[in-house]
Amino acid sequence: MLKLGRKRGDKLEFGIFTLPILISIIAVFYYPFFMTIRYSLTKWNGISKHPKFIGLDNFKQIFMGDANFSHAAIFTIKYAILYIVLINVLAIGLALILDMKLKSTNWLRAAFFIPYILSLVIVGFIWKFIFMQGFESLGNTTGWGFFALSWLGKPGLAFISVLLVSIWQSIGFYMVIYIAGLQSVPDDLKEAATVDGAGPFRRFFNVTLPLLAPSITISVFMALTNSIKVFDVILSLTGGGPGGTTYSVAYDIYRDTFQNNLYGYGTAKALILFLAVLVVTVIQLTIFKRREVEA
């Protein structure tokens, strides 16, 4: 009887402490999610109390007649692929350099990480000023045509600008992940590879890189989710221009929902984005975790 009473007491205590958390999760996550599904099936301007139920018409319009969404999806896919590849390659290179025993290592690590502390909205406005006025001044001073280019006025250059600013702002975060991974690589393996006659490149690709698999999994996962949801840097840097060529899916959702007052339509797009991110991240984690085990 005493043991049974203790078990009941433990369960009651567990329930008392977990119930507020469960209620918070339901209120903050699950309830809004189900409301999102509901509103995605309606025609709603965000103001009326009675949204008009239209079934799957929003999704049909998105996939069959929305040119802006298809262009935004293409932009997002191109951006995501380039961002994931470049940010990880550059972060690994920086991590290798800053993992060396240099006098200025700590200062350099801080210098690369500081931009990540800043909001991408603030970073976007700073770089907008640099591209529009700073480069003009540098071009007048140096005479280099590089600075005279319309970095935010031409579609190709605007895409490159968004990509470069995003990489500049976040590379410090991924660099720290890879530095932590490099410091967990046993020195014995490196020394054994050196004794066997392996050069720097062979040691890196045969010893260091396979042991960086957990860090690569985390970094690719973070880069993938962040790049698919890119929004704030576009809002502050290009505003979707020139001519809507830098619309991402997230920015297109924002424009339809809050500027055009198509809340039901924008909610349907948000649900599609959520499912896309979910599917892609699950596939990515499955593949990379399998490679971790093989490595």
Side-chain angles (χ1 to χ4, degrees):
M1 291 294 293
L2 185 60
K3 290 183 178 180
L4 183 61
R6 286 181 179 178
K7 287 182 179 180
R8 288 179 178 176
D10 291 340
K11 288 181 179 180
L12 180 61
E13 184 180 354
F14 178 79
I16 292 173
F17 281 104
T18 57
L19 187 60
I21 299 173
L22 290 174
I23 293 174
S24 300
I25 292 174
I26 292 171
V28 174
F29 179 77
Y30 288 106
Y31 178 73
F33 179 73
F34 286 113
M35 291 300 293
T36 298
I37 297 175
R38 176 194 169 192
Y39 287 129
S40 69
L41 303 175
T42 64
K43 183 178 181 181
W44 185 44
N45 61 5
I47 300 173
S48 62
K49 296 182 179 180
H50 303 288
K52 181 182 177 182
F53 180 79
I54 57 174
L56 298 176
D57 287 354
N58 284 330
F59 296 96
K60 292 178 182 177
Q61 177 65 24
I62 291 170
F63 288 111
M64 298 180 65
D66 193 332
N68 288 331
F69 184 78
S70 60
H71 292 155
I74 293 171
F75 171 89
T76 304
I77 291 171
K78 288 195 307 182
Y79 173 88
I81 292 172
L82 290 172
Y83 180 83
I84 293 167
V85 173
L86 291 174
I87 196 73
N88 282 281
V89 171
L90 293 173
I92 290 175
L94 279 175
L96 288 170
I97 295 171
L98 298 182
D99 191 47
M100 300 176 182
K101 295 179 180 178
L102 304 174
K103 292 183 179 179
S104 58
T105 295
N106 292 332
W107 291 101
L108 289 173
R109 290 180 183 179
F112 281 108
F113 189 77
I114 284 173
Y116 182 73
I117 300 173
L118 302 175
S119 166
L120 260 175
V121 175
I122 298 173
V123 169
F125 282 121
I126 292 172
W127 275 95
K128 186 175 184 178
F129 172 80
I130 293 172
F131 281 129
M132 297 183 68
Q133 299 186 35
F135 276 18
E136 182 180 357
S137 300
L138 288 172
N140 294 332
T141 303
T142 62
W144 294 353
F146 171 83
F147 294 113
L149 296 174
S150 180
W151 286 94
L152 302 179
K154 294 183 179 179
L157 291 176
F159 174 82
I160 294 172
S161 300
V162 172
L163 184 64
L164 290 179
V165 171
S166 300
I167 291 173
W168 176 85
Q169 188 266 349
S170 58
I171 193 170
F173 172 75
Y174 299 95
M175 177 197 70
V176 169
I177 294 175
Y178 284 119
I179 288 175
L182 288 171
Q183 291 177 348
S184 66
V185 176
D187 292 331
D188 296 344
L189 293 177
K190 297 179 183 178
E191 293 172 1
T194 304
V195 172
D196 290 339
F201 289 99
R202 192 170 180 183
R203 285 201 305 270
F204 173 73
F205 285 104
N206 292 345
V207 177
T208 305
L209 193 60
L211 294 176
L212 278 178
S215 298
I216 293 173
T217 300
I218 295 171
S219 296
V220 171
F221 168 74
M222 294 297 296
L224 178 64
T225 54
N226 290 334
S227 59
I228 292 177
K229 298 182 295 184
V230 60
F231 166 75
D232 34 15
V233 67
I234 293 174
L235 177 68
S236 57
L237 184 63
T238 65
T245 54
T246 56
Y247 282 166
S248 66
V249 173
Y251 189 85
D252 188 51
I253 293 170
Y254 162 80
R255 190 176 60 89
D256 278 341
T257 306
F258 298 105
Q259 293 183 350
N260 299 333
N261 292 327
L262 301 174
Y263 278 76
Y265 193 62
T267 303
K269 288 186 176 182
L271 188 60
I272 292 172
L273 178 62
F274 167 78
L275 293 175
V277 173
L278 179 64
V279 171
V280 172
T281 51
V282 167
I283 293 173
Q284 181 259 322
L285 288 175
T286 302
I287 294 173
F288 277 73
K289 284 294 182 182
R290 190 179 303 162
R291 290 187 177 182
E292 281 185 34
V293 174
E294 292 175 357

